[in-house]
Amino acid sequence: MALGPHKLTKEAGAALVFFIGYVGLFAWMLYAYSTHRIKWLSRYSMLFFHVIIRVASQACGIAFGILGFDDMDVFLAYLILGAEGYFTLVLCSYCFLISWHQHNLSSKESWLEPRNTKETNKYKKALILIFFWPAAIFIYKKDFMIWMHTFLILANIAIIAGGAYLAGADYTQPDSADTRSRMNVSKIARTAGQSVFLACNFILCFSIIKTILLDKRELRTKGEGKIHPTLILLFVTWFPLIIPRMLYMIERLHSAENYDSSGFTDRFTAIEYCLGVVPEWLAATLLLFTYGTS
């Protein structure tokens, strides 16, 4: 199928498949909001935000698959939205774990993020973080998630900066000194950012396992012995967040064969979706399944 001088490539076809997949998640969540099955001001809001970003990212993926490097603005938007998608998905996982703590632990508190009180009004807290960040992290230094947000934001900035610098390369001359230099600088920035994301994911795994052990201890005191199914789903969700991502990061950042003059190679397109997009969609879907276990 041709569109002017451009063709619908395998990259565009793969992006279209997951555009439909994310639109499906978006439609279900919109239905759940409209029927009051889930609340707007809840953990699902972050997941809904993630889904919106991924819908936009896949739309850019379709456009990039058709236009290639003829439109560098589309390529840059694709890179940025892809990074934002993973960033918000990691935060989603933490939000769902914190919510479980606050609703199921006997203390009704989470060691990851304390509940907001009159003294720590969430709107006041948000304004302080927006206007006084990063100095504000010392005001809330006992709030673990403030530190987590800070590291994830800095990692996100590094990935976006690397992607923006890479977008300035001339892909019609992939062997030129400028293009090679841009690819190397971009590789360093994005490797640093992705490494922080992976470290935050390992902390998430530790937190989930600690919660499961704590839940088992509380169950024993009650004479029960069944781990909460939401914790099992959160633990399963961690695997598509981390293992494929590690392999994907290695391949994406360190292979010089990922691009040609028209866009991504067919080989890299397969890697992009098998190790990047598919696990993210699966993780988002698993988080949505917690609706039935909460």
Side-chain angles (χ1 to χ4, degrees):
M1 178 180 176
L3 183 67
H6 302 286
K7 294 180 179 179
L8 185 62
T9 61
K10 292 178 181 177
E11 169 80 12
L16 178 60
V17 169
F18 281 92
F19 175 80
I20 294 170
Y22 275 106
V23 166
L25 296 181
F26 175 83
W28 189 93
M29 293 193 75
L30 206 57
Y31 165 76
Y33 279 127
S34 65
T35 56
H36 306 290
R37 293 172 184 266
I38 56 178
K39 297 178 180 179
W40 282 105
L41 297 178
S42 68
R43 62 188 180 277
Y44 293 102
S45 299
M46 178 59 77
L47 183 58
F48 190 57
F49 182 53
H50 164 75
V51 170
I52 291 172
I53 288 176
R54 288 305 307 177
V55 167
S57 175
Q58 292 309 117
C60 290
I62 295 169
F64 174 66
I66 295 171
L67 299 173
F69 293 120
D70 290 348
D71 191 328
M72 294 306 296
D73 289 338
V74 169
F75 177 53
L76 180 58
Y78 182 52
L79 290 178
I80 291 175
L81 288 170
E84 294 302 311
Y86 190 63
F87 167 69
T88 53
L89 189 56
V90 174
L91 284 180
C92 279
S93 302
Y94 274 102
C95 287
F96 274 65
L97 182 60
I98 290 167
S99 177
W100 190 93
H101 288 164
Q102 294 176 343
H103 288 89
N104 293 278
L105 289 178
S106 57
S107 64
K108 303 300 180 183
E109 288 287 345
S110 173
W111 67 83
L112 293 172
E113 185 174 57
R115 285 182 181 272
N116 290 305
T117 62
K118 290 182 179 180
E119 290 74 24
T120 58
N121 180 280
K122 62 181 178 180
Y123 299 110
K124 173 185 173 184
K125 185 177 178 181
L127 288 173
I128 290 174
L129 289 172
I130 290 170
F131 291 105
F132 298 101
W133 183 86
I137 63 175
F138 296 103
I139 299 174
Y140 301 106
K141 59 185 177 181
K142 293 183 179 180
D143 188 333
F144 174 82
M145 284 306 298
I146 296 295
W147 291 92
M148 186 59 64
H149 277 82
T150 298
F151 286 123
L152 287 172
I153 289 170
L154 292 174
N156 201 38
I157 291 171
I159 292 170
I160 291 173
Y165 193 67
L166 181 63
D170 183 0
Y171 288 94
T172 61
Q173 298 180 358
D175 295 322
S176 68
D178 179 69
T179 300
R180 289 293 176 184
S181 173
R182 285 180 178 275
M183 292 181 76
N184 288 333
V185 172
S186 173
K187 183 188 298 183
I188 292 169
R190 289 186 295 150
T191 299
Q194 292 283 6
S195 297
V196 173
F197 277 171
L198 292 177
C200 291
N201 259 318
F202 278 111
I203 295 172
L204 173 64
C205 180
F206 170 79
S207 300
I208 294 171
I209 292 173
K210 180 180 178 181
T211 303
I212 290 173
L213 294 175
L214 186 59
D215 186 44
K216 287 179 70 176
R217 189 182 311 148
E218 291 193 357
L219 287 171
R220 279 198 298 268
T221 62
K222 298 175 184 177
E224 302 172 5
K226 199 172 182 180
I227 298 173
H228 199 288
T230 297
L231 291 179
I232 296 173
L233 271 176
L234 287 175
F235 184 66
V236 172
T237 300
W238 180 80
F239 288 94
L241 273 176
I242 190 73
I243 296 176
R245 195 75 189 187
M246 290 174 67
L247 300 173
Y248 171 61
M249 185 185 80
I250 293 169
E251 178 60 33
R252 179 161 189 160
L253 298 178
H254 297 288
S255 175
E257 309 299 325
N258 294 341
Y259 312 95
D260 56 29
S261 59
S262 60
F264 292 147
T265 62
D266 289 345
R267 173 181 173 276
F268 183 62
T269 296
I271 293 170
E272 169 96 357
Y273 279 84
C274 290
L275 297 181
V277 180
V278 173
E280 282 191 33
W281 183 86
L282 179 59
T285 304
L286 287 170
L287 287 176
L288 200 53
F289 281 172
T290 61
Y291 169 77
T293 61
S294 299

